[in-house]
Amino acid sequence: MRALSASSLIVIFAATTSTAFADEVRRSHTFDTTGIEHLRIEHRAGELTLAPAAGDRIEVELRIEPQKDWSGEVADLDLASSVHGNRLTLDFSERDVHSYMLVRVPRLKQLTIDATAGEVLGTLPPMEADVLLRYGTIDLDVDRSSTGRIDLKARFGETAVDGAQNAETNRVLLVGSSSSAVGEGSHRLQAKVRTGDIRVGLH
């Protein structure tokens, strides 16, 4: 993990452990959210799974596997973090490995995800959310009682909102798709993919 500046110590890196099995490395991190309103996750490639946290801390489990052309030491890799004001950024951007990241998120004001390739999956806690994936699949479930406007857009691919009677889906230039719906709450969700599919389910 990168060292945090003095102004960044509002968020405490509470614990970290790691274990290695053959050609993979597993990491575990916990972050205090005192003073944090915005979580930003930057993920290079692999599977990013979201889940509501049981308490008020962010918990991350990370499994890292090297690809065939990887020539470095997997044991040297780990999640990076930084804090700017009320925003905590979690970053795993190594190019030549495949990662599986599970992030348990408590209720915050905003979540931003910037991912390159792979899958963004799971259940979003009630909060404003912006999800950008360049190549792959976004498949998320949200609480209809807390979710407001939903806007999905795929430049090349399919989009769909399940569980909403007011959902609308339109083709974009024959190869793309956009979908929108409105839940019963106020938290906005926006998701975009350049090439791939997006599904959001209201429950």
Side-chain angles (χ1 to χ4, degrees):
M1 170 178 290
R2 297 195 196 103
L4 301 183
S5 65
S7 62
S8 299
L9 295 179
I10 298 173
V11 169
I12 301 171
F13 175 51
T16 178
T17 60
S18 65
T19 55
F21 299 95
D23 292 330
E24 72 174 37
V25 169
R26 295 173 183 259
R27 308 291 191 190
S28 178
H29 298 276
T30 303
F31 298 89
D32 192 336
T33 57
T34 302
I36 295 300
E37 298 179 350
H38 182 188
L39 173 63
R40 179 179 175 86
I41 302 173
E42 299 178 1
H43 192 231
R44 173 68 66 176
E47 184 177 299
L48 171 60
T49 302
L50 303 166
D56 58 1
R57 291 185 173 184
I58 296 169
E59 299 174 355
V60 181
E61 297 177 15
L62 176 63
R63 177 161 59 93
I64 307 166
E65 297 178 351
Q67 297 187 18
K68 292 182 179 179
D69 54 354
W70 172 252
S71 59
E73 291 291 335
V74 181
D76 294 337
L77 303 179
D78 200 355
L79 183 72
S81 69
S82 61
V83 177
H84 299 281
N86 63 4
R87 185 184 71 195
L88 168 65
T89 299
L90 305 179
D91 182 8
F92 187 77
S93 299
E94 183 57 51
R95 293 177 180 271
D96 297 322
V97 298
H98 195 89
S99 63
Y100 302 84
M101 186 187 303
L102 169 63
V103 184
R104 296 185 177 90
V105 186
R107 288 193 177 192
L108 302 173
K109 285 190 176 181
Q110 185 175 353
L111 171 67
T112 302
I113 295 174
D114 187 347
T116 303
E119 298 175 285
V120 179
L121 311 168
T123 301
L124 289 178
M127 66 174 68
E128 302 280 322
D130 287 285
V131 182
L132 172 62
L133 175 63
R134 288 160 182 80
Y135 307 98
T137 301
I138 298 172
D139 192 341
L140 298 171
D141 291 311
V142 297
D143 181 356
R144 75 169 65 249
S145 66
S146 64
T147 302
R149 178 77 181 184
I150 299 172
D151 288 298
L152 315 178
K153 184 175 182 180
R155 186 178 298 178
F156 299 95
E158 303 286 343
T159 60
V161 179
D162 295 338
Q165 294 182 350
N166 56 21
E168 295 183 1
T169 297
N170 299 293
R171 299 298 300 176
V172 178
L173 298 177
L174 300 179
V175 295
S177 176
S178 66
S179 296
S180 62
V182 180
E184 300 170 358
S186 60
H187 296 295
R188 180 185 56 85
L189 168 60
Q190 180 173 279
K192 296 180 180 180
V193 64
R194 291 184 182 174
T195 303
D197 300 325
I198 309 175
R199 186 206 70 92
V200 170
L202 290 169
H203 299 281

